[in-house]
């Protein structure tokens, strides 16, 4: 049995106390730091860019799980490798030549992730699944933290898990958006390996305890 990984999303952190919040994650039972980069084009919001990622990297002691919600992500692969990203996830919907993008991410020494919007069918990954280290299933429409979980996600995770098994791939499944202790167990039972949680962790009264609770 694989152990469930937890990746708190720093999008919900207090940016005035970013170092403190990164250190909280360092000292918690969390596994990765989830970093959401939005360009205001692929999604209707702008989050933060390279200088902030660099500041996070300075204090972070766990792998940086970078989720790019941007158009033409190929332009920045090298830059994120230099910033210390361990996992670089691009959106299926933003990549015209996904196979080439995945090879480029791996050539720069990072794990390659592909994110799917809620409307994107997992079968579109049938021909690339063996090249993908992580599939990130969006359980909300990307762009904002604090949205409600889309219930169809469970069925989608199960279908993806079946595809991974059928293709004998070692791809991990990550869930992002509206994750709480209410849906965590059902997500794990459906096949999830990694849970991202933003607001549920950072808006709670005791984020360290909330991470522990998610870990189960
Ligand atoms: C949304 C981002 C998420 C976001 C999750 O577009 O990809 O990582 O921070 O936030 P919550 O957990 O609040 O839905
Ligand atoms: Zn994310």
């Amino acid at each position: 049995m694989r152990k469930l990984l937890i990746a708190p999303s720093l999008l919900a952190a207090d940016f005035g106390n970013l170092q403190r919040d990164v250190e909280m994650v360092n000292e918690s039972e969390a596994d990765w730091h989830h970093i959401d980069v939005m360009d205001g084009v692929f999604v209707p919001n702008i989050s933060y860019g390279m200088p902030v990622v660099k500041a996070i990297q300075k204090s972070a002691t766990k792998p940086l799980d970078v989720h790019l919600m941007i158009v033409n992500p190929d332009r920045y692969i090298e830059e994120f490798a230099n910033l210390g990203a361990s996992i670089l996830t691009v959106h299926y919907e933003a990549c015209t030549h996904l196979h080439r993008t995945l090879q480029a991410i791996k050539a720069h020494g990072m794990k390659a992730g592909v994110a799917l919007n809620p409307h994107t069918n997992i079968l579109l990954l049938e021909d690339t699944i063996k090249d993908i280290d992580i599939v990130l299933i969006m359980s909300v429409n990307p762009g904002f933290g604090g949205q409600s979980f889309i219930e169809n996600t469970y069925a989608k995770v199960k279908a993806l898990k079946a595809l991974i098994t059928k293709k004998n791939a070692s791809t991990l499944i990550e869930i992002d958006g509206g994750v709480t202790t209410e849906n965590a167990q059902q997500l794990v039972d459906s096949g999830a390996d990694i849970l991202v949680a933003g607001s549920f962790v950072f808006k709670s009264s005791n984020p360290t305890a909330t991470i522990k609770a998610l870990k189960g």
Side-chain angles (χ1 to χ4, degrees):
M1 246 312 258
R2 279 171 179 151
K3 196 152 173 28
L4 174 68
L5 304 181
I6 302 295
S9 165
L10 291 163
L11 188 63
D14 175 356
F15 293 152
N17 290 287
L18 191 54
Q19 185 176 349
R20 180 201 68 191
D21 284 1
V22 171
E23 284 169 358
M24 180 282 293
V25 175
N26 289 343
E27 283 149 31
S28 75
E29 288 184 32
D31 299 276
W32 297 345
H33 303 270
H34 187 81
I35 298 177
D36 290 300
V37 177
M38 305 179 184
D39 66 355
V41 179
F42 180 70
V43 287
N45 192 15
I46 298 174
S47 55
Y48 47 72
M50 285 43 171
V52 174
V53 177
K54 196 169 185 157
I56 294 169
Q57 190 270 334
K58 270 194 187 159
S59 316
T61 57
K62 294 177 178 176
L64 303 186
D65 174 33
V66 178
H67 177 193
L68 297 182
M69 285 159 275
I70 66 173
V71 296
N72 298 327
D74 302 61
R75 291 176 298 170
Y76 299 109
I77 291 172
E78 189 171 354
E79 207 163 336
F80 281 104
N82 292 338
L83 282 167
S86 296
I87 301 112
L88 193 64
T89 296
V90 295
H91 265 263
Y92 176 87
E93 303 83 6
C95 295
T96 311
H97 301 286
L98 181 64
H99 185 272
R100 180 184 291 155
T101 305
L102 294 170
Q103 303 312 321
I105 293 171
K106 291 197 263 192
H108 283 85
M110 298 176 285
K111 298 264 184 224
V114 176
L116 300 181
N117 278 340
H119 72 273
T120 305
N121 195 288
I122 60 98
L123 288 175
L124 290 165
L125 300 180
E126 194 162 10
D127 294 311
T128 42
I129 195 74
K130 289 200 102 159
D131 298 299
I132 304 174
D133 295 305
I134 294 158
V135 174
L136 184 156
I137 293 189
M138 286 303 313
S139 37
V140 299
N141 283 294
F144 303 92
Q147 304 180 80
S148 331
F149 181 83
I150 298 171
E151 294 287 320
N152 183 56
T153 306
Y154 302 120
K156 211 163 158 174
V157 177
K158 283 183 197 156
L160 176 60
K161 186 75 187 174
L163 175 66
I164 291 168
T165 305
K166 182 179 113 187
K167 294 280 187 176
N168 203 18
S170 50
T171 317
L172 298 179
I173 303 176
E174 180 169 14
I175 315 297
D176 189 3
V179 171
T180 68
T181 44
E182 293 287 303
N183 50 33
Q185 189 57 50
Q186 200 174 339
L187 286 168
V188 171
D189 294 344
S190 304
D193 301 290
I194 307 137
L195 301 180
V196 175
S199 333
F200 189 68
V201 167
F202 287 99
K203 309 294 180 215
S204 69
S205 56
N206 185 342
T208 309
T210 304
I211 291 167
K212 190 180 172 70
L214 281 168
K215 193 99 185 166

